[in-house]
Amino acid sequence: MTSLTKRFNYSVCYCCSTTPKIPSFNYFKSEANIKSNMDRLASAARLMIVSDLDQTMVDHHDPENLSLLRFNALWEANYRESSLLVFSTGRSPILYEELRKEKPMLTPDVTIMSVGTEITYGNSMVPDDGWEALLNNKWDRKIVTEETRKFPELTLQSETEQRPLKVSFYVQKDKAQDIMKTLSKSLEERGLDVKIIYSGGIALDILPQGGGKGQALAYLLKKLKREGKLPNNTLACGDSGNDAELFSIPDVYGVMVANAQEELLEWHAANAKDNPKVIHATERCAAGIIQAIGHFNLGPSISPRDVTDMSEIKMKNFVPAYEVVKFYLFFEKWRRGEIENSDLYLSNMKAVCRPSGTFVHPSGVEKSLEEYVNTLKKCHGDKKGKQYRIWVDQVLPTQVGSDSWLVSFKKWELCGEERQCCITTVVLSSKNVTVADGLTWTHMYQTWQPGAAASDSATWFF
């Protein structure tokens, strides 16, 4: 028996079957009721991570997305409830949404796009109109277009990357510096105050002087401070030239991931080599972010995906989010055939489910939790050798009684190119169990997220 036996080595608990007084499950069916914005926190965030996406949070050379999935598990188990996740990308909203469809990414609380010229909040990505109005000072897109036409070396990027407050080009590296110098002077003579950023060894972006990832972060921190919610710690993460500004903001920790590009390393050597708050990680992409969390002692830095024996994790209190992450990691390993097909595992899973507990399947079929546990026997190893992964997003617990929690989250499954997602709500109970035992699952309700339903509902478990 592998050490993973202890993952669900709980005492059998036949708790009282009465349900706490909680809001109707129907209230939690829609994604609109999963809050994800700065207003979600009543006080200052424990940690705010501000991360670039391409080749920082997302490793395009990692087909299994393992470092990203490791970060996802760490964040949802330990940070989501009390912290803020901010994605800061050079991508436009259209290309950002495309990336979300391609990769197993979490939902951020704040999204900064188009090289810091657009800020949006929450699941609905509500734009910050105040930020846009601020950037419009001394900016005229028409003049920028006129002046850049004088440089045949500049090649316009795709139409999706041309934004109201950003004009983007491609240019060869050996010509970039001369063009930037000349273009900056000509635009100044036309009365504009702009910023020209070169990154990735090919991309040149022109935006208002007040724009950029660093200024967007400074604006966000000022806004949080004004609301009395300045994060206890902020960690900025990047890999290329357009991330350099992030590391210039006072009192912000920074990590350049191991695969950081030459232009960022050169900037660091010239401007921040003596700053102990900025490090060059030895790990790539999201793994480097996890490394920085540990290096700066910002909180837990061991992802649940890296733990083979859950008994090694000594929890002092009940942590509903950790229980949810742990449950689905076990389920993923079960279907991938990474743990043995043992009746002991199934009996331990039954032990964490209340005998009278119910599960409402996304198809609307209602059965007992124990019935669904029994069906797991037939799906052991059915995803072996396949690109099958499970991750949970926006795990947000609400205590609804002295010993009960209502936990809402999105549960995602990826198998090859097919992705499914359902909005999930569970009731967890600590009645008659210890922290070492783990919480008891009493009820589960799932409904398909629009556009992400499984083609065959019969293949969907939990």
Side-chain angles (χ1 to χ4, degrees):
M1 186 73 69
T2 69
S3 60
L4 278 166
T5 304
K6 297 182 180 179
R7 182 181 295 276
F8 283 93
N9 190 19
Y10 302 114
S11 301
V12 178
C13 173
Y14 295 102
C15 305
C16 172
S17 61
T18 57
T19 305
K21 292 181 179 179
I22 58 176
S24 166
F25 275 119
N26 288 327
Y27 175 80
F28 298 91
K29 289 199 301 184
S30 68
E31 183 181 5
N33 291 319
I34 296 183
K35 294 182 180 179
S36 179
N37 50 51
M38 296 193 297
D39 295 334
R40 172 173 56 81
L41 302 181
S43 57
R46 168 188 175 192
L47 172 65
M48 183 168 77
I49 284 187
V50 182
S51 179
D52 172 53
L53 292 178
D54 296 287
Q55 297 303 101
T56 301
M57 182 64 74
V58 177
D59 189 345
H60 292 289
H61 299 297
D62 177 9
E64 291 287 335
N65 300 301
L66 291 179
S67 62
L68 178 57
L69 290 166
R70 287 176 58 219
F71 175 84
N72 291 356
L74 175 65
W75 187 260
E76 294 299 333
N78 296 284
Y79 292 98
R80 172 69 78 174
E81 183 181 5
S82 59
S83 300
L84 290 172
L85 181 61
V86 181
F87 287 160
S88 183
T89 177
R91 288 178 176 242
S92 66
I94 293 175
L95 289 190
Y96 168 68
E97 288 297 338
E98 286 184 6
L99 185 65
R100 287 187 59 82
K101 293 175 183 178
E102 296 169 3
K103 296 292 183 178
M105 293 165 54
L106 298 181
T107 303
D109 298 286
V110 184
T111 311
I112 300 171
M113 295 169 290
S114 304
V115 197
T117 58
E118 298 180 62
I119 301 176
T120 66
Y121 303 97
N123 288 359
S124 300
M125 298 181 69
V126 178
D128 190 321
D129 295 331
W131 177 241
E132 183 177 342
L134 191 65
L135 294 186
N136 265 313
N137 182 43
K138 289 191 175 182
W139 171 258
D140 189 319
R141 200 176 190 286
K142 183 179 178 180
I143 293 178
V144 172
T145 302
E146 290 174 358
E147 291 299 319
T148 52
R149 283 184 185 143
K150 300 175 182 178
F151 296 85
E153 301 91 343
L154 294 176
T155 302
L156 272 172
Q157 292 185 25
S158 66
E159 189 62 31
T160 62
E161 296 312 284
Q162 310 306 324
R163 305 295 296 168
L165 294 164
K166 179 177 76 77
V167 186
S168 297
F169 300 88
Y170 294 121
V171 63
Q172 293 181 13
K173 186 176 180 180
D174 59 346
K175 299 179 180 178
Q177 292 303 319
D178 288 341
I179 290 176
M180 290 170 66
K181 184 177 179 180
T182 306
L183 184 57
S184 179
K185 183 178 180 181
S186 65
L187 289 172
E188 184 179 353
E189 290 173 351
R190 295 284 305 267
L192 301 190
D193 191 10
V194 305
K195 179 180 294 181
I196 304 177
I197 300 175
Y198 188 65
S199 61
I202 191 171
L204 187 145
D205 298 300
I206 306 172
L207 40 139
Q209 182 61 241
K213 291 185 177 183
Q215 292 304 311
L217 173 55
Y219 172 86
L220 185 59
L221 288 169
K222 184 177 180 180
K223 188 171 186 174
L224 287 166
K225 184 176 182 179
R226 190 168 58 244
E227 297 173 358
K229 297 180 181 180
L230 186 67
N232 295 336
N233 289 297
T234 298
L235 174 65
C237 320
D239 79 299
S240 69
N242 66 18
D243 300 315
E245 288 186 357
L246 292 171
F247 307 124
S248 301
I249 307 302
D251 302 318
V252 169
Y253 292 101
V255 56
M256 302 179 297
V257 291
N259 52 292
Q261 297 188 32
E262 181 182 350
E263 73 254 14
L264 181 59
L265 297 179
E266 290 176 351
W267 175 90
H268 177 260
N271 299 278
K273 64 179 181 179
D274 296 322
N275 183 355
K277 285 193 170 184
V278 179
I279 65 168
H280 186 193
T282 58
E283 299 281 349
R284 289 179 56 85
C285 299
I289 298 174
I290 295 174
Q291 182 184 0
I293 292 173
H295 177 86
F296 294 121
N297 296 312
L298 301 178
S301 59
I302 299 177
S303 172
R305 280 190 174 272
D306 297 331
V307 179
T308 56
D309 186 349
M310 284 297 177
S311 65
E312 296 175 1
I313 304 298
K314 305 297 182 183
M315 310 298 289
K316 295 181 180 180
N317 303 297
F318 289 108
V319 183
Y322 200 97
E323 297 281 344
V324 168
V325 172
K326 181 174 65 174
F327 180 91
Y328 281 107
L329 283 178
F330 170 83
F331 186 48
E332 176 190 284
K333 290 177 181 293
W334 177 266
R335 297 195 70 178
R336 285 172 61 92
E338 295 177 352
I339 51 179
E340 62 185 288
N341 189 354
S342 167
D343 289 338
L344 179 59
Y345 284 121
L346 296 182
S347 63
N348 285 337
M349 283 198 73
K350 288 180 183 179
V352 302
C353 296
R354 178 172 290 175
S356 61
T358 57
F359 171 49
V360 180
H361 189 274
S363 64
V365 176
E366 181 176 337
K367 292 185 179 180
S368 71
L369 283 169
E370 284 198 349
E371 281 184 87
Y372 269 97
V373 171
N374 289 334
T375 65
L376 295 185
K377 187 77 173 177
K378 66 181 182 181
C379 72
H380 178 269
D382 65 340
K383 302 298 183 182
K384 189 173 183 178
K386 299 179 181 179
Q387 192 178 15
Y388 175 77
R389 295 293 179 185
I390 295 176
W391 70 99
V392 288
D393 183 21
Q394 295 182 286
V395 182
L396 296 172
T398 301
Q399 190 157 3
V400 293
S402 60
D403 56 9
S404 301
W405 289 264
L406 193 70
V407 189
S408 60
F409 55 94
K410 288 182 279 190
K411 182 242 176 170
W412 285 92
E413 284 193 17
L414 170 69
C415 189
E417 297 297 320
E418 189 176 0
R419 291 159 59 114
Q420 299 96 36
C421 177
C422 63
I423 308 299
T424 304
T425 306
V426 299
V427 178
L428 303 178
S429 172
S430 63
K431 190 170 184 178
N432 298 332
V433 295
T434 66
V435 173
D437 293 331
L439 294 166
T440 303
W441 293 60
T442 65
H443 298 285
M444 179 185 290
Y445 183 99
Q446 293 185 330
T447 185
W448 295 120
Q449 175 160 297
S455 56
D456 181 4
S457 293
T459 63
W460 183 268
F461 302 90
F462 290 114

